Amino acid sequence: MSDSGLTVAFQPIADLSASRVYAYEAIVQGRNGESAGEIYATLEEEAKAKFDQRCAAGAIRWAMAAGLGSSGARLLIPTQAKSIGAPAEYLDPILRVARQTGLIPERLIFGLEGYQQLPGRDLAEIIDVHRKAGPLTAFVGIGPDQAGLALCGRYLPDLVKLESELVSAIASSWSRRLVLEDLTPRIRQLGLKVIATGVDSEPVLQKLRGFGITLVQGEEIASPATRALPTPTLRRADAA
C-alpha cells in the first residue's frame, strides 16, 4: 500500500452502552489526501475491484499491526458495492489475508457504499455470502431523505450507517431531529444496529443518546489516526 502512495487511517466507532470501541473504520487516502472514493472514480472498470480488494487487504494488515487483534474491536472496511461482482470470489483473497494475520472473519464489517445502485439479486447474494463466511454487512448512506431504507427492510443487512449530513445537524435543526426521531425506531424494528457518523459536538452526542443511538463516530469521539488505533474517552450512555 505505501509503495502505491496509499495510506490507511483508523477512526473508532464507539459503543456508548458498553463504554468500549465497537469497531475501527479503515479510511484510505491517496498520496495527496484524496479519498478512496475519489481514486476509485478515476479507475478503469476492470481495475476497480482489485483496488477495493487491495485497500481491504492493506487495512487488515495495518490494523492488526496496530493492535486490532488484542483490542476486541471489529474492523469496518468501506466497499464500493458495484465493484464486488461475484461475491465469493471477491471475498476470498480478503479473508485469506485476514487468516494470515490472525483476524477471524466474524470481526470484519463490510460497509457497502452505493448499494442502492445494485440489482436486488446481487445485493441479496452479497449479504448471503457474507453471512455464510462470517463478516457483517453495513449499508452506508441513509440521509435526510431516508433513501435506502426500503432496501434495508427487504435485504436486512446487519447494520445501517447514517450519513453525517443528517447526524451533525440534529443539534441545530428541528427538521433533522424529526427525521431521525422517525427513522431510528423504524430501523430498530427491522432488527438492525444503527451507526451515527458526523458526531462533531457534545450537543449532537446528547441528542443521539436521547434517541437511544449508542454506536457513534466523529470528531467528538476521536479523530482518525494513520496506522494507529485511537482510544476515545467514553462514558456509558446510561451515565450521561
Side-chain angles (χ1 to χ4, degrees):
M1 290 276 286
S2 58
D3 291 342
S4 60
L6 298 177
T7 61
V8 181
F10 298 98
Q11 186 173 28
I13 298 168
D15 181 355
L16 300 176
S17 67
S19 191
R20 66 183 178 92
V21 175
Y22 173 75
Y24 285 95
E25 179 173 0
I27 302 171
V28 174
Q29 292 185 319
R31 190 186 309 275
N32 299 310
E34 312 97 317
S35 70
E38 290 171 331
I39 298 171
Y40 181 90
T42 67
L43 300 175
E44 299 292 336
E45 286 302 317
E46 60 271 16
K48 288 181 174 179
K50 293 293 184 184
F51 174 77
D52 254 10
Q53 287 174 317
R54 187 155 53 92
C55 288
I60 291 169
R61 290 192 180 100
W62 285 1
M64 292 299 281
L68 182 75
S70 59
S71 73
R74 300 176 187 270
L75 178 63
L76 190 152
I77 300 174
T79 302
Q80 294 294 332
K82 61 184 178 182
S83 74
I84 291 176
E89 294 178 13
Y90 176 90
L91 187 62
D92 183 62
I94 299 173
L95 293 187
R96 193 179 311 130
V97 171
R99 287 191 294 269
Q100 290 170 353
T101 61
L103 182 64
I104 62 172
E106 287 76 10
R107 288 178 62 187
L108 290 172
I109 305 170
F110 288 95
L112 298 187
E113 299 180 354
Y115 65 94
Q116 299 97 327
Q117 281 73 55
L118 281 190
R121 63 181 181 277
D122 294 347
L123 198 53
E125 185 182 3
I126 290 170
I127 294 172
D128 183 59
V129 167
H130 286 179
R131 287 218 169 105
K132 289 176 179 176
L136 301 181
T137 306
F139 281 2
V140 176
I142 291 186
D145 60 0
Q146 302 192 26
L149 182 60
L151 292 176
C152 292
R154 182 173 300 173
Y155 298 106
L156 298 177
D158 301 287
L159 304 104
V160 174
K161 206 162 184 274
L162 303 179
E163 287 182 2
S164 58
E165 179 187 358
L166 170 60
V167 175
S168 63
I170 62 171
S172 58
S173 170
W174 178 252
S175 63
R176 295 293 169 86
R177 286 199 295 273
L178 289 177
V179 169
L180 199 56
E181 186 176 15
D182 173 66
L183 187 60
T184 303
R186 294 171 66 187
I187 295 174
R188 284 210 193 92
Q189 286 169 5
L190 297 173
L192 313 181
K193 291 183 177 180
V194 180
I195 300 174
T197 63
V199 183
D200 56 8
S201 69
E202 180 63 25
V204 169
L205 186 59
Q206 292 302 328
K207 292 292 183 185
L208 292 171
R209 291 181 192 273
F211 290 130
I213 295 175
T214 59
L215 295 182
V216 293
Q217 180 185 35
E219 292 295 324
E220 181 66 18
I221 307 303
S223 300
T226 302
R227 301 199 194 189
L229 305 179
T231 303
T233 301
L234 303 174
R235 292 183 299 158
R236 293 178 64 90
D238 56 9

